[in-house]
Amino acid sequence: MLLRILSYHQVMPSYIDMISVFGSQLEARELRFSGFREQTILSSPDPGTMIPDLGRSGKQFQLCYHLKTVDCTSSPTTKPQDKTWSIRPATFLHQFDVVYGTTLWIVTKGEVEDIKESIQNVTGVKGRPTDRAFGTSAECFVSSLTIHLLYCHWSTKSWVAYLEWLEYRVDTATDLVVIGPRTFDGANLVRREYTPKDLQITQFLEDKVNETMVVMESNMEVLMQLGSYYEGLANNDEFPLRQTCANAIRAFSTQVNDMVYDFKVQIRGAKLLVRKTSDRKTLILQHLQSQATDKMENLTLSMHREAIAVRIITVVTLLYLPATFVSTFFSTDVIKYQNGDPDGTFSRPALYRWLQVTLPLTALTLAVGYLAFKTEDIKRQFRQLPNALPDQLPLFSGRSKTG
């Protein structure tokens, strides 16, 4: 059905390319798409396109362009931080016969009620007489310029509010990174601890601002091309309405240039917001690194305290070690103090037995300790082995086939 409609109205092929971006999508991928196409035939038209009964002289021009706007999809009572916005594209096709004034408009957009209502208000009984006059080809041409301006104004709607909302989100998420305290106030913690989630939120907002800037730049370029086309049409000697509609074209170009200037101002503000967001993201990253450094310092201090405690225990143990050894040795049967004998009784067999048990156990303890040390050293080498393997690989690998 669509192909029949487009074939009947002899729509330019570029329109098919522009409406191909519409459809069900999980994510908006078409935001970088934009364009302006024109097809002008003012002399020597194809005889097949000359159908007077349908108001077609064959001398016509067609314009096809793609614009976007942004709308807040939340209710007015929603909190600012919870609001959601949607960037909505639209493709417009305009066809005008310069002899009969026959005009064709095709608008491709989701939820076209807002544009439909605006067109009805402009061309209805409440509109200006010049905007709803279709008696001559010149009047039809002037009315078509009004519709172009309506679409252009639609593309400029709500971008200022959207940028203000983005700046509010950036300030809410990152104000403390600039003005927040970074020290402890006595026993109370007064500084904010940042997490990687803060970095993700800031990056998300920066991407949204960059996306907004790209869309506004594409809209601005389309408006500039639209204004330039009609200015060139006014200087084209083959355009029969160039003198009759010269004032209307100049007024149209002036209004389009005003909207282009507004876009330039908004783009400058968006660039400033991108720079601001990027700087604050860098500050958050520095705070994360500072927090990691603080934790390492606390861990080092804790380990230092533990090392001091272990050192104290070691010194105390060394102080008591000789006395412990002497007490243990004299508690054996090697030397006995009995019956009031001050010199004691020495037993050589007991000394031999003590040495026979003590020396092997000491050697066994040292051997087990050495074995445990070597086992851990081998495990450590195996853990480091995967990290060392890539350095030993050749720079180029793969099969080669010749012949």
Short mmCIF file of all heavy atoms in Angstrom, two decimals, residues 240-263:
data_model
loop_
_atom_site.label_atom_id
_atom_site.label_comp_id
_atom_site.label_asym_id
_atom_site.label_seq_id
_atom_site.Cartn_x
_atom_site.Cartn_y
_atom_site.Cartn_z
N PRO A 240 8.99 30.59 -11.59
CA PRO A 240 8.04 31.64 -12.02
C PRO A 240 7.52 32.51 -10.88
O PRO A 240 6.98 33.59 -11.16
CB PRO A 240 6.90 30.82 -12.65
CG PRO A 240 6.99 29.48 -12.01
CD PRO A 240 8.43 29.24 -11.74
N LEU A 241 7.69 32.11 -9.63
CA LEU A 241 7.15 32.88 -8.51
C LEU A 241 8.22 33.67 -7.79
O LEU A 241 7.99 34.16 -6.68
CB LEU A 241 6.46 31.93 -7.52
CG LEU A 241 5.36 31.03 -8.07
CD1 LEU A 241 4.84 30.08 -7.00
CD2 LEU A 241 4.22 31.85 -8.66
N ARG A 242 9.39 33.83 -8.40
CA ARG A 242 10.50 34.46 -7.69
C ARG A 242 10.23 35.93 -7.37
O ARG A 242 10.67 36.44 -6.33
CB ARG A 242 11.79 34.33 -8.50
CG ARG A 242 11.78 35.08 -9.83
CD ARG A 242 13.08 34.84 -10.61
NE ARG A 242 13.12 35.59 -11.85
CZ ARG A 242 12.51 35.22 -12.97
NH1 ARG A 242 11.81 34.10 -12.99
NH2 ARG A 242 12.60 35.96 -14.06
N GLN A 243 9.51 36.62 -8.21
CA GLN A 243 9.22 38.04 -7.95
C GLN A 243 7.98 38.19 -7.07
O GLN A 243 7.97 39.01 -6.15
CB GLN A 243 9.03 38.79 -9.27
CG GLN A 243 10.28 38.84 -10.13
CD GLN A 243 10.06 39.59 -11.44
OE1 GLN A 243 8.91 39.92 -11.80
NE2 GLN A 243 11.14 39.86 -12.17
N THR A 244 6.96 37.41 -7.34
CA THR A 244 5.72 37.51 -6.56
C THR A 244 5.95 37.16 -5.10
O THR A 244 5.37 37.79 -4.21
CB THR A 244 4.64 36.58 -7.16
OG1 THR A 244 4.54 36.83 -8.57
CG2 THR A 244 3.30 36.80 -6.49
N CYS A 245 6.77 36.17 -4.85
CA CYS A 245 6.97 35.66 -3.49
C CYS A 245 8.33 36.04 -2.92
O CYS A 245 8.80 35.41 -1.96
CB CYS A 245 6.81 34.14 -3.48
SG CYS A 245 5.21 33.56 -4.07
N ALA A 246 8.99 37.04 -3.47
CA ALA A 246 10.33 37.41 -3.00
C ALA A 246 10.30 37.85 -1.54
O ALA A 246 11.16 37.46 -0.73
CB ALA A 246 10.90 38.51 -3.89
N ASN A 247 9.32 38.67 -1.17
CA ASN A 247 9.23 39.14 0.22
C ASN A 247 8.95 37.99 1.18
O ASN A 247 9.50 37.93 2.29
CB ASN A 247 8.15 40.21 0.33
CG ASN A 247 8.50 41.48 -0.41
OD1 ASN A 247 9.68 41.81 -0.58
ND2 ASN A 247 7.50 42.23 -0.87
N ALA A 248 8.07 37.08 0.77
CA ALA A 248 7.75 35.93 1.62
C ALA A 248 8.99 35.06 1.84
O ALA A 248 9.23 34.55 2.95
CB ALA A 248 6.62 35.11 1.01
N ILE A 249 9.80 34.88 0.78
CA ILE A 249 11.01 34.07 0.92
C ILE A 249 12.01 34.74 1.84
O ILE A 249 12.66 34.09 2.67
CB ILE A 249 11.61 33.79 -0.47
CG1 ILE A 249 10.68 32.89 -1.29
CG2 ILE A 249 12.99 33.14 -0.34
CD1 ILE A 249 11.15 32.64 -2.70
N ARG A 250 12.16 36.07 1.72
CA ARG A 250 13.08 36.79 2.62
C ARG A 250 12.63 36.68 4.06
O ARG A 250 13.46 36.47 4.97
CB ARG A 250 13.19 38.25 2.18
CG ARG A 250 14.11 38.49 0.99
CD ARG A 250 14.44 39.97 0.84
NE ARG A 250 13.24 40.73 0.47
CZ ARG A 250 12.86 40.97 -0.78
NH1 ARG A 250 13.58 40.50 -1.79
NH2 ARG A 250 11.78 41.69 -1.04
N ALA A 251 11.33 36.83 4.31
CA ALA A 251 10.83 36.69 5.68
C ALA A 251 11.04 35.28 6.20
O ALA A 251 11.40 35.07 7.37
CB ALA A 251 9.35 37.06 5.72
N PHE A 252 10.83 34.31 5.31
CA PHE A 252 11.05 32.91 5.70
C PHE A 252 12.52 32.68 6.07
O PHE A 252 12.83 32.07 7.10
CB PHE A 252 10.63 32.00 4.55
CG PHE A 252 10.98 30.56 4.74
CD1 PHE A 252 10.22 29.74 5.56
CD2 PHE A 252 12.10 30.01 4.11
CE1 PHE A 252 10.55 28.41 5.73
CE2 PHE A 252 12.43 28.68 4.28
CZ PHE A 252 11.65 27.88 5.09
N SER A 253 13.43 33.17 5.25
CA SER A 253 14.86 32.99 5.51
C SER A 253 15.26 33.67 6.82
O SER A 253 16.10 33.13 7.58
CB SER A 253 15.68 33.54 4.35
OG SER A 253 15.38 32.85 3.16
N THR A 254 14.69 34.83 7.09
CA THR A 254 15.02 35.54 8.33
C THR A 254 14.61 34.72 9.55
O THR A 254 15.38 34.58 10.51
CB THR A 254 14.32 36.90 8.36
OG1 THR A 254 14.76 37.68 7.24
CG2 THR A 254 14.65 37.65 9.65
N GLN A 255 13.41 34.17 9.51
CA GLN A 255 12.95 33.37 10.65
C GLN A 255 13.76 32.09 10.81
O GLN A 255 14.07 31.67 11.93
CB GLN A 255 11.46 33.04 10.49
CG GLN A 255 10.56 34.26 10.54
CD GLN A 255 9.10 33.88 10.58
OE1 GLN A 255 8.66 33.12 11.44
NE2 GLN A 255 8.32 34.40 9.62
N VAL A 256 14.13 31.46 9.70
CA VAL A 256 14.96 30.25 9.78
C VAL A 256 16.33 30.59 10.35
O VAL A 256 16.88 29.86 11.19
CB VAL A 256 15.08 29.60 8.39
CG1 VAL A 256 16.13 28.48 8.41
CG2 VAL A 256 13.74 29.04 7.94
N ASN A 257 16.91 31.72 9.93
CA ASN A 257 18.21 32.13 10.46
C ASN A 257 18.12 32.42 11.96
O ASN A 257 19.09 32.15 12.70
CB ASN A 257 18.71 33.37 9.72
CG ASN A 257 19.11 33.05 8.29
OD1 ASN A 257 19.47 31.92 7.97
ND2 ASN A 257 19.05 34.05 7.42
N ASP A 258 16.99 32.97 12.41
CA ASP A 258 16.83 33.20 13.84
C ASP A 258 16.84 31.87 14.61
O ASP A 258 17.46 31.77 15.69
CB ASP A 258 15.51 33.94 14.11
CG ASP A 258 15.56 35.39 13.65
OD1 ASP A 258 16.67 35.91 13.46
OD2 ASP A 258 14.47 35.98 13.47
N MET A 259 16.18 30.85 14.07
CA MET A 259 16.18 29.54 14.74
C MET A 259 17.57 28.91 14.70
O MET A 259 17.97 28.23 15.64
CB MET A 259 15.13 28.64 14.09
CG MET A 259 13.70 29.01 14.47
SD MET A 259 12.47 27.91 13.76
CE MET A 259 12.26 28.65 12.14
N VAL A 260 18.28 29.13 13.61
CA VAL A 260 19.66 28.62 13.53
C VAL A 260 20.53 29.28 14.59
O VAL A 260 21.35 28.61 15.26
CB VAL A 260 20.24 28.86 12.12
CG1 VAL A 260 21.74 28.58 12.09
CG2 VAL A 260 19.52 27.99 11.09
N TYR A 261 20.35 30.57 14.77
CA TYR A 261 21.12 31.28 15.80
C TYR A 261 20.77 30.74 17.20
O TYR A 261 21.67 30.55 18.04
CB TYR A 261 20.82 32.78 15.74
CG TYR A 261 21.50 33.58 16.83
CD1 TYR A 261 22.85 33.89 16.76
CD2 TYR A 261 20.77 33.99 17.96
CE1 TYR A 261 23.47 34.60 17.77
CE2 TYR A 261 21.38 34.70 18.97
CZ TYR A 261 22.74 35.01 18.88
OH TYR A 261 23.34 35.70 19.89
N ASP A 262 19.48 30.48 17.45
CA ASP A 262 19.09 29.91 18.74
C ASP A 262 19.76 28.56 18.96
O ASP A 262 20.22 28.25 20.07
CB ASP A 262 17.57 29.76 18.80
CG ASP A 262 16.85 31.10 18.86
OD1 ASP A 262 17.51 32.09 19.23
OD2 ASP A 262 15.65 31.16 18.53
N PHE A 263 19.83 27.76 17.92
CA PHE A 263 20.50 26.46 18.04
C PHE A 263 21.99 26.65 18.36
O PHE A 263 22.56 25.90 19.16
CB PHE A 263 20.34 25.65 16.76
CG PHE A 263 19.15 24.72 16.77
CD1 PHE A 263 18.23 24.75 15.75
CD2 PHE A 263 18.96 23.82 17.80
CE1 PHE A 263 17.13 23.91 15.75
CE2 PHE A 263 17.88 22.96 17.82
CZ PHE A 263 16.96 23.01 16.78
#
